[in-house]
Amino acid sequence: MRSGIPNLTALQAFEATARLGTFSRAAEELSLTHSAVYRQVASLEQRLGVQLFTRVRRRIVLTEPGAEYAGRIRQHLDQIEKDTFGLVSRTGMGRSLHIAVVPTLATTWLIPRLADFARRHPDITVSLSVRTLPFQFKDQPFDGALYHSDHVWPGTRGVLLFREKELVPVCAPPMAAAQARAKRGEGKADGEPQTGKEGGPLGAMPHLHLSSRPDAWRDWYGQNRHTYGPHAAGGPRYELFTMVLAAAEAGLGVGLVPRFLAQDALDAGRVTEACPGALRVPHGYYFSHPESGSRLETLKIFQAWLQAVAGGDSNT
């Protein structure tokens, strides 16, 4: 027994009262009597030794500690509810998987292909959650993970789906055209982005950076034998490749994006390669899962499908 954790009924009564503002409304939501909710909240205050509400006639107001505690308890109760629903859905609705995936790959590569998996395996439900950092499966509610790395996570079964191969510098076509004119020493048409005549293949175009790969532009300059200066190190930071690509399309600067993610925009003419030269990268996208568990056979089915799709995708 965890002696430091208050009674769950008391926590539910407190959270509902804090959220709804009255004992009566909390009692109605919880299907309890007004007096039962009042007693639960009073017993919680007594146990904690902290006043959670101030009472003025029939009106109750959260104290500062009460408001902070209510917010935290609400998060924990929400998580318990999600975990419970997840367990029930897994046991009552056939086979299911909960997969962690890096966000850009989820939206641009995996989700558009999941309809094929659903047609082939209608009895398997696949839920997705975003995770950008490595984790241990024993500490997270995931059955598998699709992530960017240069190796399989230790202590898991995993496969390389495809390599990222290279990042290419892309920008909006008007920005590339203005940069070309600036190199030739021609004037800039009205309304075109400022590019300047700074040295280097990209001139003064703003450099768009991905927060999780802070050295990507430095590596690009090094691989392509150009000088990496303060201007290249500056520029806005974005959390996702999709944001970098969208910013490049909007004419905010030049971004380094995996070619397979930028290919549709390149083919459609929404962006263009700002200059020759790519950044070759050794990393790839992996799928892994725990070495044992009740969903191992279902994970094998999903992994085999991922490998088949990745192997048949001409963009990867």
Side-chain angles (χ1 to χ4, degrees):
M1 177 180 178
R2 296 178 180 268
S3 59
I5 300 178
N7 180 278
L8 183 60
T9 302
L11 293 174
Q12 288 178 293
F14 164 64
E15 188 278 330
T17 303
R19 175 166 40 85
L20 299 173
T22 69
F23 292 119
S24 297
R25 294 175 64 187
E28 183 178 352
E29 179 177 286
L30 298 172
S31 299
L32 297 172
T33 64
H34 177 285
S35 59
V37 172
Y38 177 85
R39 287 195 301 270
Q40 290 290 346
V41 173
S43 68
L44 180 61
E45 288 182 313
Q46 183 177 7
R47 170 170 182 160
L48 298 175
V50 176
Q51 185 176 4
L52 302 174
F53 294 98
T54 57
R55 299 166 180 82
V56 180
R57 298 177 183 176
R58 295 188 177 185
R59 183 168 175 264
I60 58 172
V61 179
L62 281 165
T63 62
E64 185 175 341
E68 181 181 355
Y69 191 54
R72 294 181 180 275
I73 293 302
R74 186 170 300 118
Q75 292 178 9
H76 295 310
L77 291 176
D78 286 345
Q79 188 60 53
I80 291 173
E81 185 177 52
K82 290 177 183 178
D83 290 343
T84 302
F85 284 154
L87 177 63
V88 171
S89 64
R90 288 183 176 187
T91 57
M93 298 180 62
R95 294 183 291 178
S96 64
L97 294 173
H98 189 182
I99 306 298
V101 59
V102 288
T104 296
L105 195 70
T107 56
T108 62
W109 187 83
L110 179 58
I111 290 177
R113 292 162 173 78
L114 275 180
D116 176 71
F117 181 80
R119 286 192 296 267
R120 296 172 184 270
H121 305 282
D123 62 322
I124 300 177
T125 301
V126 179
S127 299
L128 304 178
S129 292
V130 168
R131 287 295 184 276
T132 57
L133 298 175
F135 60 84
Q136 293 188 347
F137 283 106
K138 65 179 181 180
D139 299 326
Q140 299 289 334
F142 302 121
D143 302 306
L146 208 165
Y147 53 93
H148 177 265
S149 184
D150 59 359
H151 61 273
V152 174
W153 285 350
T156 69
R157 293 186 181 183
V159 293
L160 172 66
L161 297 177
F162 56 88
R163 295 200 179 278
E164 195 169 59
K165 296 182 180 177
E166 62 182 18
L167 308 185
V168 292
V170 298
C171 66
M175 180 168 281
Q179 172 64 21
R181 277 192 292 274
K183 283 187 175 182
R184 295 194 300 267
E186 299 176 7
K188 179 178 72 67
D190 291 341
E192 287 186 346
Q194 293 284 351
T195 59
K197 299 182 181 180
E198 292 192 12
L202 300 174
M205 285 194 286
H207 286 49
L208 311 175
H209 296 258
L210 186 72
S211 300
S212 60
R213 304 197 197 183
D215 296 325
W217 272 118
R218 182 189 299 275
D219 294 340
W220 182 87
Y221 272 81
Q223 281 192 18
N224 291 279
R225 298 185 179 181
H226 300 303
T227 301
Y228 182 72
H231 175 74
R237 266 65 178 165
Y238 298 94
E239 190 172 356
L240 305 176
F241 271 130
T242 49
M243 294 179 178
V244 174
L245 184 58
E249 287 188 34
L252 295 178
V254 56
L256 271 180
V257 182
R259 183 179 292 279
F260 83 93
L261 291 178
Q263 196 62 56
D264 286 345
L266 287 166
D267 292 342
R270 299 194 302 273
V271 297
T272 186
E273 291 192 48
C275 68
L279 172 63
R280 297 178 300 279
V281 291
H283 302 79
Y285 293 92
Y286 290 78
F287 178 72
S288 70
H289 55 80
E291 295 180 312
S292 62
S294 60
R295 294 178 180 80
L296 191 56
E297 290 304 314
T298 307
L299 284 163
K300 288 180 179 178
I301 293 172
F302 186 62
Q303 177 177 298
W305 174 80
L306 284 172
Q307 290 179 281
V309 170
D313 193 332
S314 60
N315 287 337
T316 58

